[in-house]
Amino acid sequence: MHEVSTIEDPAAAEASLDPLRRQILGDLIEPGSASTIAARLGIPRQKVNYHLRVLEQHGLVELVEERRRGNFTERILQATSASYVISPGALGRLQPDPGRAPDQLSARWLLALASRLVRDVGTLLAGAQRARKPVATFAIDGQIRFASAADRAAFTKELAAVVTELVARHHTGQEPGTAGTGKLNRLVVALHPAVPDTADGHLR
């Protein structure tokens, strides 16, 4: 089981958004069968079996074991990931495109950048999982409190200057007539007001 996976197929995204299937996926973080899930949720086993087939068809659950129970074989399944992120790529042409209206001070542009980040990292992660290789990534997550809007503006100006200087120092330019030199990476730096979490980790 993976810690987190992206869902890129629109049909798989639709399957995962069904309320009952979401509940079944949550229960299958630990291996279980249609019978155990039906007993836990208080619904008919046949109904659970139907939803399990849909989830399995889209690669959201997988068979981990088969157990003989009297005259039938009990299938033990488990979610393929502990959590999922639906890739903006599932929206096709409707996915956000930060290239349409780049504006460093726009929250909507930041959202488009974040959407592209989810899509691209999800694609890289899926390929790396198939190849059984790691993805070279780096991220920083933190909080900073500004005493005033002026302090925030001064910080963003200095941050932009520092990052620009650092990139210029380490970036390898493209040689004329070539596809480039070295591995191209994308750098995203974001700053936005913090949104507090509730005790259970969900946004207020």
Side-chain angles (χ1 to χ4, degrees):
M1 172 188 281
H2 302 298
E3 178 60 31
V4 60
S5 298
T6 54
I7 298 175
E8 298 187 11
D9 178 51
E14 182 181 1
S16 71
L17 291 174
D18 177 88
L20 181 55
R21 290 176 198 148
R22 288 206 314 268
Q23 196 168 2
I24 292 173
L25 275 175
D27 284 350
L28 286 179
I29 291 177
E30 299 294 334
S33 67
S35 298
T36 59
I37 294 172
R40 192 155 51 234
L41 299 181
I43 58 178
R45 181 170 60 86
Q46 292 80 359
K47 186 173 183 179
V48 174
N49 264 324
Y50 166 76
H51 289 292
L52 284 174
R53 284 194 297 271
V54 174
L55 293 171
E56 191 173 9
Q57 176 186 351
H58 293 293
L60 299 173
V61 302
E62 61 186 356
L63 180 68
V64 295
E65 185 183 356
E66 290 186 330
R67 298 173 184 170
R68 192 67 183 174
R69 299 286 190 186
N71 295 326
F72 74 97
T73 300
E74 184 179 42
R75 303 178 79 243
I76 308 300
L77 300 126
Q78 186 174 25
T80 54
S81 184
S83 57
Y84 299 91
V85 176
I86 296 178
S87 171
L91 294 172
R93 295 174 61 188
L94 295 178
Q95 64 182 298
D97 180 5
R100 288 178 186 148
D103 178 358
Q104 288 182 307
L105 301 180
S106 166
R108 297 185 186 280
W109 187 61
L110 175 56
L111 185 60
L113 280 178
S115 297
R116 185 180 64 190
L117 179 66
V118 169
R119 183 200 66 195
D120 290 355
V121 174
T123 299
L124 291 169
L125 185 59
Q129 288 171 350
R130 289 191 295 268
R132 299 183 180 276
K133 293 181 179 180
V135 182
T137 62
F138 172 74
I140 295 177
D141 179 32
Q143 295 184 339
I144 180 171
R145 190 185 304 276
F146 298 106
S148 67
D151 287 344
R152 185 182 187 280
F155 173 83
T156 56
K157 182 178 180 180
E158 185 176 349
L159 178 63
V162 170
V163 171
T164 299
E165 188 276 331
L166 189 62
V167 169
R169 182 152 31 104
H170 290 274
H171 178 62
T172 301
Q174 181 175 331
E175 296 292 335
T178 70
T181 303
K183 182 75 171 180
L184 185 65
N185 289 259
R186 183 179 295 280
L187 174 67
V188 177
V189 180
L191 178 69
H192 61 82
V195 179
D197 293 341
T198 60
D200 61 1
H202 293 87
L203 296 180
R204 284 198 264 228

